[in-house]
Amino acid sequence: MKYPLLGASTLAAIIIAAQALVPLKAMAAEDNPSGLAELKKENARLREELAALRERDRLKSEISTVRARVERPVSTSPAAAVPTSVRRAYAADKPVYKAVPYVQPPAALSWNGFYVGLNAGAREDQVNATTTSVVGFAAGFPPFRPDAGFPTPSLSQSSWSFRIGPYVGYNWQIGSQWLVGIEGDWAWANKTATFVGAAYPNTTNTFATLGSPDTFSVKTAWDASIRERVGFLASPNLLLYLAGGPSWMKVETTSACVAGGPSRNCFAVLPPAPGTPSQLFTQPVIANSSTKLGWTLGGGLEAMFAPGWIVRAEYRYSDYGTITNTDRRQFTPAAAVVFGQDGFNVAYDVRVRTNLATVGIAHKFDW
């Protein structure tokens, strides 16, 4: 028999009352043994239902407690009141925290890209010139010995000049420490090496006289190059590099006969001796100009002091080989009668080498 609507306490009271009636029923059932057995069974069943109802109430209580903890936290006991003086002292000493603005971290330095720069510095020009032959036009006229007669040395001079010009290039960075690139530059410079005393170097017997104002000069002007570069990044902003490639230089030579003085190049001794023409050659000054191809090799270091800005210091050696010129010295009609020929072909060699020391600054584009 079930009592689904009764609480555990009510059912317990009913069971206790029923148990109190058992002796009476027992007394009434002494003469009925089967009734007594039935009564005992009823008593046992009531006890089992009472135990089940108590267990159900216990589980309900536990479930209610868990739900209360999940839905709202258990409140703690209120803290003791803090004195007003203590709160004020704490507020006065409390540190003030200010919001720190976000700063974008600096981007990693990159050497990749196209750059344009300007360099300036000094160029040493090493010039060496020597006459190789002097040959007359007329058949059978013997060539002059360049080293015969009064000893005049060949032209050999070293001098420095100011040099400035732009440069452009492109870099490819390989990994974190290597770089390759290509660069071209052009620079203006102007220096003239002059030998005074002869119209040609080392032609003492033919074209030189002690005290002559005649000159032979070599002018070195602009130079340019295209170089391949290989560099090593000692740090993210410091590059050590080597560079080399073809180079060009503008070279001008001038042989000048100057009137006056004891010159035998273009003018006779003044006043001229009887029967001697006062001017020997039709062209007192002969100039030659050429752009000479050579090679250059050097190295330096570069520092990227800000994203896109690079400063450098560089040294280069350049060799332009030998320039060979031949001047045609034509006699005047009067001089041709005296000497029996039309003039001379004078051949000479000029070798040019340079040393460069420059500094520069460039801006790199992220192209």
Side-chain angles (χ1 to χ4, degrees):
M1 181 175 181
K2 303 293 183 178
Y3 305 95
L5 301 178
L6 298 179
S9 58
T10 305
L11 186 58
I14 295 172
I15 292 173
I16 293 172
Q19 287 177 346
L21 295 176
V22 170
L24 297 176
K25 290 183 179 182
M27 292 173 61
E30 285 181 355
D31 296 333
N32 188 2
S34 60
L36 181 59
E38 183 67 24
L39 185 61
K40 289 182 178 180
K41 290 181 181 180
E42 182 70 14
N43 188 26
R45 185 182 61 78
L46 292 174
R47 289 180 180 274
E48 290 178 357
E49 289 188 3
L50 177 61
L53 289 172
R54 287 176 175 173
E55 180 65 18
R56 186 187 68 178
D57 289 346
R58 186 186 67 80
L59 293 176
K60 285 183 177 180
S61 177
E62 290 184 358
I63 291 172
S64 298
T65 302
V66 172
R67 285 179 176 174
R69 291 178 179 177
V70 171
E71 293 175 356
R72 57 182 180 275
V74 179
S75 61
T76 58
S77 59
V82 180
T84 304
S85 59
V86 174
R87 290 200 303 269
R88 290 177 179 174
Y90 174 76
D93 294 337
K94 185 178 180 180
V96 178
Y97 295 96
K98 295 182 179 179
V100 179
Y102 174 75
V103 178
Q104 181 72 24
L109 296 177
S110 172
W111 292 76
N112 285 316
F114 176 80
Y115 60 91
V116 178
L118 179 70
N119 62 19
R123 186 183 75 188
E124 181 194 27
D125 300 328
Q126 299 175 354
V127 176
N128 188 277
T130 304
T131 302
T132 57
S133 67
V134 180
V135 180
F137 295 164
F141 193 88
F144 288 85
R145 291 178 54 197
D147 58 349
F150 188 82
T152 302
S154 61
L155 172 62
S156 182
Q157 188 171 325
S158 176
S159 56
W160 288 88
S161 61
F162 175 71
R163 179 182 183 273
I164 186 171
Y167 59 94
V168 297
Y170 196 94
N171 289 327
W172 291 270
Q173 186 172 342
I174 303 174
S176 60
Q177 288 191 301
W178 293 97
L179 178 146
V180 295
I182 187 169
E183 181 176 300
D185 74 322
W186 181 94
W188 173 89
N190 190 347
K191 192 64 178 179
T192 301
T194 302
F195 174 75
V196 180
Y200 292 99
N202 203 27
T203 56
T204 57
N205 188 47
T206 307
F207 291 107
T209 303
L210 185 64
S212 171
D214 301 335
T215 61
F216 179 81
S217 60
V218 179
K219 178 183 177 181
T220 49
W222 60 261
D223 66 84
S225 70
I226 298 176
R227 294 166 291 129
E228 295 182 355
R229 302 204 311 159
V230 177
F232 173 75
L233 288 167
S235 67
N237 63 338
L238 181 62
L239 175 70
L240 307 177
Y241 68 91
L242 295 175
S247 183
W248 295 264
M249 173 178 274
K250 183 72 170 181
V251 180
E252 299 176 2
T253 59
T254 303
S255 172
C257 301
V258 181
S263 172
R264 290 197 303 240
N265 285 6
C266 297
F267 302 93
V269 177
L270 298 178
T276 302
S278 60
Q279 182 172 331
L280 304 182
F281 296 105
T282 58
Q283 288 182 281
V285 178
I286 298 179
N288 295 279
S289 177
S290 63
T291 300
K292 189 67 174 69
L293 173 64
W295 58 269
T296 185
L297 180 65
L301 58 87
E302 291 184 340
M304 187 178 296
F305 64 92
W309 289 97
I310 304 171
V311 293
R312 70 161 51 169
E314 183 181 80
Y315 164 80
R316 281 162 49 192
Y317 172 81
S318 303
D319 192 332
Y320 298 95
T322 300
I323 301 170
T324 299
N325 291 325
T326 300
D327 289 351
R328 182 182 177 87
R329 284 288 181 184
Q330 183 77 35
F331 279 134
T332 63
V337 172
V338 173
F339 291 101
Q341 64 168 351
D342 293 332
F344 303 96
N345 285 327
V346 183
Y348 58 89
D349 291 339
V350 176
R351 185 180 181 189
V352 180
R353 292 160 291 173
T354 66
N355 292 287
L356 302 178
T358 60
V359 294
I361 183 170
H363 180 62
K364 183 183 72 68
F365 304 90
D366 294 327
W367 297 355

